[in-house]
Amino acid sequence: MSVLVFLDQADGHIKKSSLEAANYAAKAAEQLGTTAEAIVLGTVNDELGTVGNYGIKKVLTVADAALNNLDAQVYTNIIAAASENAELIVFSNNTTGKAIAPRLSAKLKAGLVSGAVALPQTGNGFIVKKSVFSGKAFANILVSSAKKIVSLNPNSFTVETGSGTAEVVAFDAKPDTAKISVVSVNKITGEVPLSEADIVVSAGRGMKGPENWGMIEELAHLLGAATACSRPVADIGWRPHHEHVGQTGLAIAPNLYIAIGISGAIQHLAGVNRSKVIVVINKDPEAPFFKAADYGIVGDAFEVVPKIIDAIKKLKAVA
Amino acid sequence: MKILVCISKTPDTTAKIAFADNNTKFAADGVQWIINPYDEWYALVRAIELKEKDPSTILHLVNVGMADNEPIIRKALALGGDEAIRVNTDNSDSFFIASQIAAVARQGNYDLIFTGKETIDYNGSAIGGMVAELLDLPYISHAIKFDLEGTDAIVTREIEGGEETDKAALPLVVSCQKGMAEQRIPNMKGIMGARSKPLNVIEPVAADALTSVASYELPPAKAGVKLVSPDTPEELVGLLHEEAKAF
Ligand SMILES: Cc1cc2nc3c(=O)[nH]c(=O)nc-3n(C[C@H](O)[C@H](O)[C@H](O)COP(=O)(O)OP(=O)(O)OC[C@H]3O[C@@H](n4cnc5c(N)ncnc54)[C@H](O)[C@@H]3O)c2cc1C
Ligand SMILES: Nc1ncnc2c1ncn2[C@@H]1O[C@H](COP(=O)(O)O)[C@@H](O)[C@H]1O
């Protein structure tokens, strides 16, 4: 019996969220007294042996360009074949993981815990803590099937790397003909994808209009951050829809979330409350966001943000 | 054309989250229940729009749950849809629920099955994919746009770091999110009409439950906000750099 982790790639590179899942799989394997293997579908440019640094002993590859686009059904059948000996299969709970893990769960009758935030407790049954109520609470889920699937929430697990080289072996699998064909792909290039960002600079209706986003973008650029926004801002068309975070938008968990001119409505918080550090800049001391914040400034964003930009520039000049 | 929309019930987005019975149950006292926003605003409304375009479309709703779910099923019928099916069970395991929906779908021979992208209470994002697998159908998750071209569906979905437009032949399972449609409010005619629409109650088929909730917990409370004067924002930068080590 072993642990298998699915490594998701974008443009030939293994994603950060998948490397977290790899390390999770390795630690879970240690707990279960076994070793962790990984599977990569499609063609990649990365030197895959290096996932050994995350504790993976062996990487199975199916380097078939037909797999470079995700068809959950095709992927599921290959991963199912590769997980014959796996008691636990690990995914990152990103859009790719969410497309595949449930299918695999139904196929293998393997209980699924999606949105896991901690390693399994294996003392008394197999129990995994997951995020529920859009980050407002946790549930400890008991998985009763023999095979288990865990999909790990991005940025909710502390990665500890070591050194090691994974053995890379080709996995013999013939992809089924995809029933879904890709008409077009539109990747937002040149920016940090929101779901993977360490730092997110987000702004709301307090910015008054789309013409004022220059300083938000400048701040984000300085910090290597992604930009996000509140729902009304996306709805009025000040910012693109994919930046909308919250209950009905994207749920994110960066290390640092800076909220500028956002009131902090409960539905907004639902998408960002798993962030490690929350900074709020709002001119209203009663804004509910301050209750969820670690640091805050009660002040006018139009005065405060340029000063913050200057201070960061100074800091960077010294460093 | 036959469409099945999966409807689930969730606490209102502003509901206070608390637990009872030694943290093993959601404290439902005084909680307002709603149709899960992704199911209502996006899956259901888009299905209604497809029926408006082609009135011969048959639109069914399915909910897996107990009789106290009927008010939200009626509300969904007030928005649109011809009839609803409720599978009478309180089992909340995703695989069990998906097995029930798959059984209903087999019976009804639907061309298209819509779910929400996730429930806002359990956040499983699981039912759609499971139903698709059980029915051996393709599954497009996180759809933001859906159109029909004859017997093909053209679907735009969110992928990591962007969007992708796919084409697939029906039958198909799609999970829906923002972008698919605009939220609607039921009107009086819809509400009156919903009362006489069929709401068929059926008993669950045999299926395994693979998971159960052992307990719930609330996150530890935040220590409280550290405020910096608006006159000296550089102090905030210092704190984030040195204390929080955020950059
Ligand atoms: C079912 C449901 C789901 C929802 N889902 C989401 C969701 O996913 N995401 C989401 O964001 N919202 C969501 N909402 C909407 C949510 O309730 C709020 O209406 C929304 O988040 C408010 O956006 P905002 O903070 O940008 O705007 P406002 O509430 O208008 O707040 C603007 C803030 O800016 C401050 N401000 C104004 N001028 C300045 C200045 N010069 N400097 C500094 N601060 C200033 C004000 O004090 C105020 O706090 C949802 C609502 C419902 C009912
Ligand atoms: N009890 C249920 N009855 C009918 N549909 C459901 C039920 N639970 C979930 N769904 C559907 O499956 C979607 C995803 O739910 P989940 O996998 O629990 O996050 C929801 O948005 C609904 O469309």
Side-chain angles (χ1 to χ4, degrees):
Chain A
M1 279 297 164
S2 62
V3 175
L4 181 75
V5 58
F6 168 73
L7 299 183
D8 183 19
Q9 55 146 324
D11 305 321
H13 298 292
I14 303 299
K15 284 183 197 157
K16 183 182 132 216
S17 52
S18 281
L19 294 172
E20 289 172 4
N23 194 225
Y24 180 99
K27 287 191 189 167
E30 207 172 292
Q31 231 174 289
L32 296 165
T34 180
T35 55
E37 299 180 358
I39 183 162
V40 178
L41 304 183
T43 49
V44 283
N45 309 324
D46 290 355
E47 177 49 67
L48 287 172
T50 58
V51 297
N53 295 336
Y54 293 83
I56 299 296
K57 299 288 179 228
K58 192 170 166 185
V59 184
L60 310 173
T61 59
V62 186
D64 185 331
L67 292 167
N68 287 356
N69 286 315
L70 165 70
D71 180 309
Q73 207 167 9
V74 177
Y75 273 43
T76 299
N77 289 341
I78 298 178
I79 299 169
S83 51
E84 226 161 69
N85 286 317
E87 58 189 301
L88 171 65
I89 305 142
V90 181
F91 290 85
S92 168
N93 196 36
N94 58 18
T95 42
T96 312
K98 286 174 184 173
I100 309 168
R103 284 202 86 112
L104 191 68
S105 167
K107 189 177 180 75
L108 303 176
K109 279 210 177 181
L112 165 67
V113 182
S114 58
V117 295
L119 283 167
Q121 297 158 248
T122 48
N124 187 8
F126 187 97
I127 294 179
V128 185
K129 184 166 162 176
K130 72 160 282 186
S131 171
V132 287
F133 293 102
S134 310
K136 286 175 249 173
F138 300 105
N140 292 299
I141 306 294
L142 174 70
V143 186
S144 43
S145 52
K147 274 187 195 289
K148 286 116 182 148
I149 303 179
V150 168
S151 73
L152 178 69
N153 260 352
N155 214 6
S156 57
F157 173 77
T158 313
V159 170
E160 286 167 3
T161 51
S163 62
T165 306
E167 180 196 356
V168 181
V169 285
F171 180 70
D172 186 22
K174 188 127 191 48
D176 305 329
T177 314
K179 290 188 197 155
I180 298 171
S181 59
V182 177
V183 180
S184 63
V185 178
N186 184 5
K187 288 239 170 115
I188 306 139
T189 47
E191 294 169 41
V192 186
L194 191 48
S195 55
E196 295 256 309
D198 271 334
I199 304 181
V200 173
V201 180
S202 185
R205 225 160 32 185
M207 295 309 295
K208 310 283 187 286
E211 66 280 7
N212 296 326
W213 246 264
M215 61 180 182
I216 302 299
E217 283 172 347
E218 188 180 358
L219 179 58
H221 183 73
L222 267 176
L223 294 172
T227 48
C229 68
S230 66
R231 182 167 89 136
V233 161
D235 283 351
I236 345 167
W238 290 359
R239 296 298 292 177
H241 277 297
H242 62 78
E243 284 198 356
H244 157 198
V245 292
Q247 182 119 52
T248 47
L250 201 63
I252 52 171
N255 290 325
L256 175 62
Y257 183 75
I258 304 180
I260 302 167
I262 303 176
S263 57
I266 191 157
Q267 297 92 354
H268 184 87
L269 294 179
V272 302
N273 54 12
R274 291 190 294 110
S275 310
K276 300 239 160 65
V277 176
I278 294 180
V279 174
V280 171
I281 298 166
N282 195 303
K283 68 174 185 191
D284 175 9
E286 301 297 319
F289 223 143
F290 285 116
K291 290 207 178 67
D294 301 284
Y295 299 95
I297 294 182
V298 179
D300 185 342
F302 294 92
E303 289 165 20
V304 170
V305 175
K307 288 189 194 159
I308 290 179
I309 290 174
D310 284 345
I312 295 174
K313 280 185 182 157
K314 273 194 200 124
L315 185 78
K316 297 227 154 174
V318 179
Chain B
M1 179 76 180
K2 276 188 89 178
I3 307 178
L4 181 67
V5 178
C6 305
I7 298 288
S8 54
K9 183 183 86 168
T10 54
D12 176 34
T13 52
T14 57
K16 181 172 168 2
I17 306 304
F19 302 104
D21 291 4
N22 215 359
N23 283 331
T24 56
K25 280 202 172 61
F26 174 62
D29 278 358
V31 166
Q32 176 106 23
W33 295 93
I34 58 169
I35 311 171
N36 184 43
Y38 296 106
D39 310 353
E40 176 185 342
W41 304 357
Y42 309 126
L44 178 57
V45 175
R46 188 66 194 127
I48 292 169
E49 288 170 356
L50 293 172
K51 187 177 163 76
E52 285 167 352
K53 246 188 174 168
D54 174 6
S56 72
T57 301
I58 296 169
L59 175 53
H60 288 174
L61 317 182
V62 61
N63 170 259
V64 181
M66 301 300 281
D68 56 1
N69 285 6
E70 292 193 359
I72 70 113
I73 303 175
R74 288 281 174 211
K75 186 181 168 206
L77 284 171
L79 282 160
D82 303 308
E83 55 183 86
I85 301 145
R86 179 173 69 80
V87 184
N88 190 39
T89 172
D90 64 358
N91 197 316
S92 63
D93 172 62
S94 302
F95 181 75
F96 186 89
I97 293 174
S99 301
Q100 304 311 320
I101 296 173
V104 168
R106 273 191 205 104
Q107 278 277 318
N109 238 329
Y110 297 93
D111 303 290
L112 195 56
I113 301 172
F114 276 170
T115 73
K117 103 167 172 181
E118 67 178 31
T119 46
I120 63 167
D121 50 0
Y122 185 68
N123 305 129
S125 286
I127 303 286
M130 288 181 175
V131 169
E133 185 63 28
L134 290 168
L135 298 172
D136 197 24
L137 294 180
Y139 172 49
I140 300 181
S141 54
H142 297 92
I144 53 183
K145 196 165 181 289
F146 181 96
D147 285 297
L148 285 171
E149 243 175 41
T151 55
D152 283 337
I154 309 291
V155 192
T156 304
R157 66 184 183 98
E158 181 194 318
I159 55 171
E160 290 292 300
E163 290 173 13
E164 176 182 291
T165 301
D166 295 332
K167 183 174 178 169
L170 302 180
L172 179 69
V173 182
V174 178
S175 88
C176 308
Q177 62 170 342
K178 185 177 163 165
M180 285 287 273
E182 292 292 330
Q183 181 184 7
R184 289 188 183 184
I185 312 278
N187 57 27
M188 209 49 201
K189 183 160 161 268
I191 294 166
M192 300 303 285
R195 290 189 191 159
S196 56
K197 285 180 183 172
L199 196 171
N200 305 310
V201 180
I202 60 173
E203 290 306 314
V205 297
D208 289 332
L210 308 176
T211 63
S212 56
V213 177
S215 62
Y216 290 101
E217 39 187 282
L218 289 170
K222 283 252 174 189
V225 58
K226 234 185 218 182
L227 287 178
V228 172
S229 158
D231 304 320
T232 52
E234 57 281 3
E235 273 176 34
L236 174 69
V237 174
L239 283 169
L240 290 176
H241 183 62
E242 277 139 39
E243 186 179 89
K245 308 228 179 297
F247 51 79

